[in-house]
C-alpha cells in the first residue's frame, strides 16, 4: 500500500418494508436506528492448485499484505438507509518484508425482498507474496487480480431475517430458522501473474452458473445466537475470446457465511465471517483458486426515535 491510507467503502443496503404505528390521534412513525463501530479484515488470495508452468509455484498460496480496517456504520431499521464506511489503519505484516498491496474492495449484500438476496463484488488487488519456507518470502509486486461478479439467492422457507444478520447485523434477537436456497451468478476475472506465465499478458475469464445450499439460525444460549449459510455452485466458463474460439470448462465453487451474535436490550456484539471460493483455469494450464474473505467484529448500539414528518424525501428513503 502507498504511504497514504487506503479506503474501503462498503455499502450494505437493506431493502425491506416500512413499519409504523399510531400512538395518538396524530400518526407518528416509529423507528430503530443503529450505530455500528467495527474492526475488520478483507482479503483476496490465489491458490495455485495444478501443475504450473513455473514449478516453484506448485501448491503455493499467493497472499496480499492486507490491512486492519476500522469502520463506522449507520442505519435505520426497515428503511433503505444503511451505510458502512471503513478505513485501513495499518498493514498486518511488515511492508519491507512482505511487500505492498494496493487494492480496492467493494461488496454489496442486500435483501431486495424477504426471500431474495443480491450479492455484488468489485475487488482489485495488486501486490502479493508467497512463502518458500518459514523465513523465505518471495514478493510478486506485479501480480494483480480483478474480480467483478454478482449472485442472486432465493430462500424458500425464510420466515424471518436471521440470514440477513450474517451480512448486516442490526442488534435484533434472532429466532431459530432454517431454509434452503437456490441461486445463479456470473463472474468476470482479470488476472496477471508474470511468475507463472513468464510474460506480462493479462488473462480474462468469465463464468456463470447455478448454486444451492442451506441457511439457518439457532439460539446457543440466552441472548447468544449463531447463523450460517453454506452452499455449492456449478459453473461453466472460459477465457474471454470470440465465441467460436472459447473453450469452456466446468467448475465447482462454494461459499460459507457465519455470524455469532450476543444481544442485549439496546446493544449487541457480532462476529461474522464471509468466505467465497471460485476456480478457473489460467491460460488453460493452471487451476487457480480465488478466495475472498471478510472477518468482522461489530458493536451495534440501538437508538429508538419517532417522527411526524412525511415528505417526498422521507418516503423515497422508506420512512
Amino acid at each position: 500500500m502507498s504511504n497514504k491510507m487506503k479506503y474501503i467503502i462498503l455499502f450494505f443496503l437493506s431493502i425491506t418494508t416500512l413499519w409504523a404505528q399510531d400512538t395518538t390521534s396524530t400518526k407518528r412513525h416509529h423507528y430503530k436506528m443503529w450505530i455500528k463501530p467495527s474492526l475488520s479484515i478483507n482479503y483476496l488470495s490465489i491458490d495455485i492448485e495444478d501443475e504450473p508452468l513455473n514449478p516453484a509455484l506448485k501448491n503455493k498460496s499467493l497472499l496480499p499484505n492486507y490491512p486492519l480496517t476500522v469502520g463506522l456504520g449507520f442505519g435505520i431499521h426497515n428503511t433503505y438507509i444503511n451505510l458502512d464506511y471503513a478505513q485501513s489503519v495499518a498493514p498486518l505484516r511488515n511492508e519491507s518484508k512482505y511487500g505492498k498491496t494496493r487494492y480496492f474492495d467493494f461488496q454489496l449484500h442486500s435483501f431486495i425482498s424477504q426471500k431474495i438476496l443480491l450479492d455484488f463484488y468489485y475487488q482489485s488487488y495488486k501486490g502479493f507474496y508467497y512463502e518458500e519456507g518459514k523465513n523465505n518470502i518471495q514478493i510478486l509486486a506485479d501480480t494483480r487480480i480483478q474480480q467483478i461478479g454478482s449472485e442472486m439467492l432465493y430462500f424458500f422457507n425464510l420466515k424471518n431475517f436471521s440470514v440477513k444478520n450474517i451480512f448486516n447485523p442490526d442488534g435484533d434477537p434472532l429466532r431459530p430458522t432454517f431454509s434452503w436456497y437456490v441461486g445463479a451468478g456470473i463472474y468476470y476475472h482479470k488476472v496477471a501473474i508474470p511468475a507463472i506465465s513468464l510474460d506480462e499478458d493479462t488473462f480474462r475469464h468469465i463464468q456463470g452458473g447455478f448454486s444451492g445450499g442451506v441457511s439457518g439460525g439457532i439460539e446457543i444460549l440466552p441472548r447468544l445466537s449463531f447463523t450460517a449459510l453454506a452452499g455449492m455452485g456449478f459453473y461453466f466458463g472460459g477465457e474471454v475470446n470470440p465465441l467460436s474460439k472459447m473453450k469452456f470448462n466446468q467448475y465447482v465453487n462454494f461459499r460459507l457465511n457465519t455470524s455469532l451474535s450476543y444481544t442485549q436490550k439496546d446493544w449487541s456484539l457480532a462476529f461474522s465471517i464471509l468466505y467465497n471460493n471460485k476456480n478457473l483455469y489460467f491460460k488453460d494450464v493452471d487451476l487457480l483458486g480465488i478466495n475472498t474473505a471478510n472477518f468482522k467484529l461489530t458493536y451495534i448500539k440501538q437508538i429508538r426515535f419517532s417522527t411526524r414528518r412525511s415528505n417526498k424525501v422521507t418516503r423515497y428513503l422508506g420512512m
Side-chain angles (χ1 to χ4, degrees):
M1 291 179 294
S2 64
N3 293 329
K4 295 182 178 179
M5 290 185 178
K6 295 297 181 181
Y7 295 91
I8 306 173
I9 301 176
L10 305 174
F11 290 97
F12 296 90
L13 304 175
S14 300
I15 303 176
T16 56
T17 56
L18 173 68
W19 63 275
Q21 64 184 34
D22 291 326
T23 56
T24 65
S25 58
T26 302
K27 186 175 182 179
R28 298 185 65 89
H29 301 281
H30 298 258
Y31 303 95
K32 288 184 294 184
M33 178 179 73
W34 61 81
I35 299 174
K36 302 187 299 184
S38 64
L39 290 173
S40 64
I41 296 172
N42 303 278
Y43 76 87
L44 183 152
S45 66
I46 307 170
D47 293 333
I48 313 297
E49 300 178 1
D50 214 337
E51 292 284 349
L53 296 175
N54 182 353
L57 293 178
K58 182 180 179 180
N59 298 323
K60 292 293 192 298
S61 293
L62 311 185
L63 301 170
N65 191 359
Y66 46 83
L68 177 70
T69 62
V70 176
L72 182 64
F74 166 81
I76 299 177
H77 186 62
N78 287 344
T79 72
Y80 300 124
I81 305 171
N82 194 341
L83 173 66
D84 282 343
Y85 172 79
Q87 177 179 320
S88 64
V89 292
L92 295 183
R93 295 180 181 271
N94 186 287
E95 289 186 342
S96 62
K97 182 177 182 179
Y98 294 90
K100 296 180 180 181
T101 296
R102 294 178 174 84
Y103 69 92
F104 181 80
D105 195 317
F106 175 90
Q107 300 181 36
L108 169 70
H109 309 285
S110 175
F111 273 89
I112 60 177
S113 77
Q114 291 191 3
K115 292 189 175 184
I116 298 177
L117 171 69
L118 174 66
D119 283 347
F120 178 80
Y121 302 84
Y122 175 79
Q123 296 166 300
S124 180
Y125 282 69
K126 181 179 180 182
F128 291 78
Y129 71 90
Y130 69 94
E131 299 182 1
E132 280 283 8
K134 186 175 181 180
N135 296 311
N136 187 0
I137 306 301
Q138 300 296 318
I139 296 174
L140 304 175
D142 294 329
T143 294
R144 60 187 184 276
I145 182 168
Q146 183 182 85
Q147 176 177 248
I148 304 171
S150 181
E151 290 186 73
M152 185 171 290
L153 308 183
Y154 177 84
F155 296 86
F156 287 98
N157 303 315
L158 198 61
K159 295 181 180 180
N160 57 45
F161 283 106
S162 293
V163 177
K164 172 185 167 185
N165 210 65
I166 299 175
F167 304 98
N168 189 31
D170 57 16
D172 282 341
L174 305 177
R175 294 176 295 171
T177 185
F178 177 83
S179 176
W180 298 92
Y181 78 83
V182 295
I186 186 168
Y187 274 82
Y188 169 80
H189 295 93
K190 184 178 178 181
V191 185
I193 311 179
I196 287 184
S197 58
L198 307 180
D199 60 41
E200 297 292 335
D201 290 345
T202 298
F203 174 76
R204 294 173 175 82
H205 186 277
I206 190 168
Q207 62 177 255
F210 301 93
S211 63
V214 297
S215 63
I218 59 172
E219 185 178 65
I220 302 174
L221 295 170
R223 301 186 180 277
L224 183 65
S225 300
F226 176 77
T227 54
L229 181 151
M232 183 176 294
F234 300 92
Y235 284 70
F236 293 87
E239 185 174 0
V240 176
N241 281 315
L243 189 60
S244 61
K245 296 182 180 181
M246 284 191 69
K247 179 182 177 181
F248 288 92
N249 297 292
Q250 62 273 9
Y251 306 99
V252 177
N253 305 327
F254 67 90
R255 66 184 295 165
L256 175 65
N257 309 139
T258 65
S259 178
L260 184 67
S261 301
Y262 178 76
T263 305
Q264 287 288 346
K265 181 179 179 181
D266 58 0
W267 66 269
S268 65
L269 191 66
F271 176 69
S272 61
I273 300 174
L274 309 182
Y275 177 81
N276 284 269
N277 168 268
K278 299 286 184 293
N279 291 288
L280 58 91
Y281 280 101
F282 182 74
K283 297 183 180 294
D284 293 325
V285 177
D286 308 298
L287 180 63
L288 303 182
I290 311 299
N291 308 296
T292 60
N294 170 269
F295 302 89
K296 190 172 186 178
L297 180 65
T298 308
Y299 172 80
I300 304 103
K301 173 64 176 178
Q302 290 190 348
I303 302 171
R304 299 177 184 270
F305 71 97
S306 63
T307 180
R308 294 190 181 95
R309 292 185 175 274
S310 180
N311 53 44
K312 289 183 179 180
V313 174
T314 58
R315 286 194 296 271
Y316 177 77
L317 295 175
M319 301 180 64

